[in-house]
């Protein structure tokens, strides 16, 4: 009685010396190996940028905050519209000033405009316009406009007047103060004058007003009520 091939041994070659068909288990293993796809690298979400020789690293999610921006079109879209060279490290080459790129990238990260004191706001505006980040352009323009308004107005100055009056005139004088005048201090100087049988207490009333009353730096002329206060002060 003939015995079959021993278990676990390779089948004998077929006719003509050709190898026999592989076993079902071996065939399945070969198919699985050929069809396997390696998982994407974990670092693929990170983007490396070479801006004027300085390296910046950020995520694609951050760079895609503004869909119409230069950075989103450069490295976040399928089939990017913008062609860009890469250096030997694989970083995107961007020929811009790296000094002003920090505020641009930080704005995309947290949505706030933060500019260090040593940086010119005009430089940040120039870069925001280049990278086509419309919301940031508006914020920087508003910051520049506010600073220009404060500079044109200059520091706030005050005009002080010292008015002398009697005790019975205090209420009337305070009630007539307007047009920017405000009470600062009341100083009693005793009773220097005697009217009839009663001494009349005398006071010095210090009032002030901002010198710059208009937004364009033009000082308004005092009103009639203010002139009355000034005339009373001439009694000193």
């Amino acid at each position: 009685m003939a015995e079959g091939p021993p278990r676990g041994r390779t089948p004998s070659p077929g006719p003509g010396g050709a190898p026999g068909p592989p076993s079902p288990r071996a065939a399945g293993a070969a198919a699985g190996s050929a069809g396997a796809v390696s998982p994407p690298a974990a670092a693929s979400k990170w983007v490396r940028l070479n801006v004027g020789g300085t390296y910046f690293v950020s995520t694609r999610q951050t760079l895609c905050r503004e869909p119409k921006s230069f950075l989103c079109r450069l490295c976040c879209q399928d089939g990017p519209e913008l062609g860009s060279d890469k250096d030997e490290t694989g970083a995107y080459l961007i020929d811009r000033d790296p000094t002003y790129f920090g505020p641009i990238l930080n704005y995309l990260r947290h949505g706030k405009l933060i500019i260090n004191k040593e940086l010119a706001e005009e430089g940040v505006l120039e870069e925001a316009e280049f990278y086509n980040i419309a919301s940031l352009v508006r914020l920087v323009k508003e910051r520049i406009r506010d600073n220009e308004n404060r500079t044109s107005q200059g520091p706030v100055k005050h005009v002080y007047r010292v008015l002398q009056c009697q005790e019975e005139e205090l209420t009337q004088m305070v009630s007539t103060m307007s047009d920017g005048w405000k009470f600062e201090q009341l100083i009693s100087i005793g009773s220097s004058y005697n009217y009839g049988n009663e001494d009349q207490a005398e006071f010095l009333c210090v009032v002030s007003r901002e010198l710059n009353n208009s937004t364009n730096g033009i000082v308004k002329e005092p009103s009639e009520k203010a002139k009355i206060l000034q005339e009373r002060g001439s009694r000193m």
Side-chain angles (χ1 to χ4, degrees), residues 3-222:
E3 295 181 358
R7 290 185 178 182
R9 300 183 61 181
T10 305
S12 58
S23 64
R25 179 178 299 177
S33 175
V37 178
S38 59
S44 62
K45 68 178 182 179
W46 291 96
V47 178
R48 189 176 175 88
L49 304 172
N50 183 343
V51 183
T54 301
Y55 287 98
F56 296 86
V57 179
S58 184
T59 64
R60 295 184 185 274
Q61 181 181 4
T62 295
L63 299 176
C64 287
R65 291 282 168 82
E66 293 283 340
K68 296 182 180 180
S69 70
F70 171 91
L71 296 171
C72 183
R73 295 169 59 197
L74 177 67
C75 54
C76 296
Q77 296 179 349
D78 296 332
E81 302 176 19
L82 301 177
S84 177
D85 295 331
K86 295 184 178 181
D87 63 12
E88 62 277 4
T89 68
Y92 287 98
L93 287 167
I94 303 177
D95 187 20
R96 301 296 294 183
D97 188 347
T99 305
Y100 294 98
F101 188 71
I104 303 297
L105 187 56
N106 284 333
Y107 175 76
L108 293 176
R109 286 168 173 161
H110 47 60
K112 297 180 180 179
L113 174 59
I114 300 176
I115 303 177
N116 295 334
K117 293 181 179 180
E118 63 271 13
L119 294 182
E121 294 167 340
E122 289 76 7
V124 179
L125 175 60
E126 184 70 24
E127 296 307 295
E129 291 176 341
F130 171 80
Y131 292 108
N132 194 31
I133 305 177
S135 57
L136 180 57
V137 170
R138 288 193 298 270
L139 284 178
V140 180
K141 285 184 176 180
E142 290 175 0
R143 176 81 63 87
I144 293 175
R145 185 166 53 250
D146 292 342
N147 289 341
E148 288 177 349
N149 290 338
R150 284 195 294 266
T151 302
S152 62
Q153 292 179 9
V156 177
K157 299 180 181 180
H158 292 82
V159 176
Y160 292 89
R161 301 293 183 190
V162 180
L163 310 176
Q164 184 176 357
C165 64
Q166 301 172 10
E167 183 177 1
E168 61 183 12
E169 297 175 335
L170 279 175
T171 303
Q172 180 182 2
M173 186 182 66
V174 173
S175 64
T176 57
M177 285 195 304
S178 59
D179 300 305
W181 290 95
K182 65 179 182 178
F183 173 80
E184 293 287 347
Q185 188 177 5
L186 183 66
I187 304 172
S188 175
I189 59 175
S191 54
S192 302
Y193 300 93
N194 189 318
Y195 296 92
N197 297 326
E198 297 182 359
D199 290 340
Q200 295 292 328
E202 295 285 328
F203 294 90
L204 297 181
C205 184
V206 182
V207 295
S208 70
R209 186 189 65 174
E210 288 187 5
L211 182 62
N212 190 358
N213 285 333
S214 61
T215 57
N216 57 7
I218 301 175
V219 179
K220 295 180 179 179
E221 290 296 326

Side-chain angles (χ1 to χ4, degrees), residues 215-231:
T215 57
N216 57 7
I218 301 175
V219 179
K220 295 180 179 179
E221 290 296 326
S223 65
E224 289 301 322
K225 291 183 179 180
K227 288 180 180 179
I228 294 174
L229 293 176
Q230 295 176 14
E231 291 173 357

